[in-house]
Amino acid sequence: TCKTQAEVDQYNWFCEMHRAALAISTIGVVRQVISRDGKLTNEFNVKVGAVPFVSDFLPFVKYSGGLPLTVDGAIVSTADATPMSMENKDDWQLYMDTVEIKGSNIPILRNLLDGENSKLKSRELSKLLEDNVDSYEVPRPALRTTYVDSALRIVRDEDDNIFIYSKVSDIEEVTDYSNVMADLGVASLLEGFN
């Protein structure tokens, strides 16, 4: 939670550096599920070039592109979303719970990432920090719904970043990534040749 303009600037700088580091990646479908019990789940499908620049690894090859293999997966985060007040149920306070990588197509690593112990347990980490660092306060960011109808929702976070969501279904179940093949995209590449 940013409390000063300096913290907002630092957060925005971090986001810019993160985007720069992922310049060879693509964010695909972003899905947000809000269940009736107040659980908010965000799913960001991400695709990254597995071998982005062939000539970096094979200097004798004069090719500026990469191999058509990709690392795919989804960054999945969960939080509790509770109304800020009984009068205004459009403003929510978030209490982060977990962050994990699901549906990775990297062989062997997939088994590790899909395990229960690979989740970043944000709440447990926050509790540890709060118990041991006097100045630490558990972040509970706010989201303000600025527009909502049966098909569209526009939300602003505490730093006034805007997120626009369109409703595509009433399904509250999170995505099951167990059917994603852990093959670095080789199967879909070969399928394209047929």
Side-chain angles (χ1 to χ4, degrees):
T1 306
C2 299
K3 295 179 180 162
T4 66
Q5 185 59 45
E7 289 177 351
V8 169
D9 293 342
Q10 183 179 20
Y11 173 77
N12 287 335
W13 174 86
F14 172 80
C15 290
E16 288 296 319
M17 294 301 103
H18 182 68
R19 279 190 282 278
L22 295 175
I24 60 169
S25 69
T26 303
I27 295 178
V29 173
V30 175
R31 182 169 180 250
Q32 187 174 72
V33 178
I34 304 171
S35 64
R36 286 174 178 54
D37 65 353
K39 181 67 87 177
L40 181 132
T41 303
N42 288 309
E43 302 172 339
F44 294 84
N45 290 314
V46 180
K47 185 178 295 250
V48 180
V51 185
F53 304 104
V54 174
S55 57
D56 288 350
F57 299 100
L58 303 170
F60 55 89
V61 175
K62 300 295 181 204
Y63 175 64
S64 63
L67 295 178
L69 303 177
T70 61
V71 175
D72 299 355
I75 302 168
V76 180
S77 64
T78 61
D80 288 334
T82 55
M84 298 283 279
S85 69
M86 295 311 285
E87 298 80 38
N88 183 0
K89 296 187 179 184
D90 290 334
D91 292 350
W92 305 333
Q93 185 176 56
L94 300 183
Y95 184 29
M96 290 303 299
D97 190 13
T98 61
V99 178
E100 59 188 315
I101 306 297
K102 300 297 284 182
S104 170
N105 68 342
I106 303 174
I108 301 170
L109 183 60
R110 165 70 174 273
N111 295 339
L112 297 171
L113 291 172
D114 282 353
E116 188 63 29
N117 292 328
S118 66
K119 289 182 184 180
L120 172 62
K121 298 175 182 174
S122 304
R123 272 191 204 163
E124 291 178 18
L125 180 59
S126 287
K127 176 78 171 123
L128 177 72
L129 289 170
E130 193 171 48
D131 290 347
N132 294 290
V133 179
D134 291 335
S135 62
Y136 183 79
E137 183 181 325
V138 175
R140 295 188 189 231
L143 289 179
R144 296 184 328 273
T145 302
T146 56
Y147 177 82
V148 66
D149 64 24
S150 62
L152 188 72
R153 183 167 44 93
I154 300 175
V155 179
R156 292 179 183 265
D157 67 8
E158 286 187 356
D159 301 322
D160 227 17
N161 295 307
I162 299 171
F163 302 89
I164 301 172
Y165 297 97
S166 62
K167 185 172 185 175
V168 294
S169 77
D170 290 323
I171 297 172
E172 292 185 11
E173 290 81 32
V174 296
T175 303
D176 176 9
Y177 293 96
S178 63
N179 292 328
V180 175
M181 293 178 59
D183 67 350
L184 284 176
V186 172
S188 61
L189 178 65
L190 294 175
E191 192 176 283
F193 284 119
N194 294 328

